[in-house]
Amino acid sequence: EPEVTQTPSHQVTQMGQEVILRCVPISNHLYFYWYRQILGQKVEFLVSFYNNEISEKSEIFDDQFSVERPDGSNFTLKIRSTKLEDSAMYFCATAGGDTQYFGPGTRLTVL
Amino acid sequence: EDQVTQSPEALRLQEGESSSLNCSYTVSGLRGLFWYRQDPGKGPEFLFTLYSAGEEKEKERLKATLTKKESFLHITAPKPEDSATYLCAVHLSGYALNFGKGTSLLVTP
């Protein structure tokens, strides 16, 4: 069964450093999403991406964040200058229609 | 204002003790209500999509139902492996999902 994969599974970084989180979507899916989940809190929407451009973004997704699909397969989330409050699980989700399928997540720890 | 409210926050059942989880929503023009299961440290795993009041879907010991204001996830004769957090979500303005806080289910042998 096709799955969404994410790398790395865990990323530890220093405050102010840039991080790139990677996702490999299910192959025939065209809609891509990033969500985050701070420990003990609910899953929150960050951004959606379709046809090589952002289609929606939340107020969390500020200028520190960017997304791209650099090579037609990977889908990435970049955080330019990490803050302590960026520590969370980051989930990629992909969809061919209404239903979104989530990856296993990247745990980002900002020290 | 929360659009999705789940109750109870936590539920402990004995193996075989059936129960229901509730998801209330306040969006107008529902375009889909989604149930996911989330194990600790893992990503949400898709269970069901419901689109219209009266719709029901089943998978093994789980059955999801939908009314105009809420959805129920019924768990029949649960087993310890059903222990997880169950998440309910609806679409925001576009296709982004707005999740509830979830119900943490523990099934003891």
Side-chain angles (χ1 to χ4, degrees), chain B residues 49-68:
Chain B
T49 307
L50 301 167
Y51 290 103
S52 56
E55 190 175 358
E56 298 184 354
K57 289 195 177 170
E58 286 188 67
K59 179 181 179 180
E60 297 180 355
R61 294 176 293 282
L62 301 176
K63 183 169 80 171
T65 62
L66 182 66
T67 72
K68 288 186 178 180

Side-chain angles (χ1 to χ4, degrees), chain A residues 39-101:
Chain A
L39 187 64
Q41 297 186 24
K42 70 175 190 174
V43 177
E44 299 175 290
F45 168 71
L46 294 178
V47 65
S48 61
F49 191 84
Y50 170 72
N51 201 25
N52 284 320
E53 61 183 26
I54 290 173
S55 46
E56 295 176 79
K57 60 182 181 179
S58 73
E59 56 188 30
I60 301 169
F61 193 87
D62 61 21
D63 291 344
Q64 293 297 322
F65 292 90
S66 62
V67 290
E68 65 175 354
R69 202 163 182 225
D71 56 13
S73 58
N74 289 291
F75 176 50
T76 63
L77 174 69
K78 180 191 289 185
I79 309 175
R80 288 189 184 83
S81 178
T82 50
K83 305 171 188 173
L84 295 176
E85 54 265 37
D86 293 327
S87 294
M89 282 288 285
Y90 287 81
F91 296 110
C92 170
T94 77
D98 282 346
T99 299
Q100 296 179 28
Y101 296 89

Side-chain angles (χ1 to χ4, degrees), chain B residues 11 13-14 16-21 35 37 47-48 59-64 72-79 82-84 86 103 105-107:
Chain B
L11 182 62
L13 299 173
Q14 287 213 317
E17 180 187 0
S18 301
S19 188
S20 296
L21 314 182
W35 282 100
R37 167 189 171 132
L47 294 173
F48 304 109
K59 179 181 179 180
E60 297 180 355
R61 294 176 293 282
L62 301 176
K63 183 169 80 171
F72 293 93
L73 184 66
H74 307 278
I75 304 176
T76 302
K79 298 182 177 182
D82 294 321
S83 297
Y86 290 86
T103 293
L105 174 66
L106 176 65
V107 182

Side-chain angles (χ1 to χ4, degrees), chain B:
Chain B
E1 179 186 344
D2 282 336
Q3 294 180 307
V4 181
T5 304
Q6 292 189 245
S7 61
E9 289 185 14
L11 182 62
R12 183 181 182 125
L13 299 173
Q14 287 213 317
E15 186 171 3
E17 180 187 0
S18 301
S19 188
S20 296
L21 314 182
N22 177 265
C23 171
S24 299
Y25 61 92
T26 57
V27 294
S28 58
L30 183 72
R31 294 180 290 116
L33 185 139
F34 302 83
W35 282 100
Y36 287 84
R37 167 189 171 132
Q38 187 177 29
D39 292 302
K42 303 288 180 63
E45 175 188 345
F46 172 71
L47 294 173
F48 304 109
T49 307
L50 301 167
Y51 290 103
S52 56
E55 190 175 358
E56 298 184 354
K57 289 195 177 170
E58 286 188 67
K59 179 181 179 180
E60 297 180 355
R61 294 176 293 282
L62 301 176
K63 183 169 80 171
T65 62
L66 182 66
T67 72
K68 288 186 178 180
K69 294 183 179 179
E70 56 193 350
S71 177
F72 293 93
L73 184 66
H74 307 278
I75 304 176
T76 302
K79 298 182 177 182
E81 53 261 43
D82 294 321
S83 297
T85 296
Y86 290 86
L87 306 176
C88 170
V90 299
H91 282 304
L92 290 169
S93 55
Y95 288 96
L97 290 176
N98 182 20
F99 282 87
K101 294 180 180 178
T103 293
S104 176
L105 174 66
L106 176 65
V107 182
T108 57

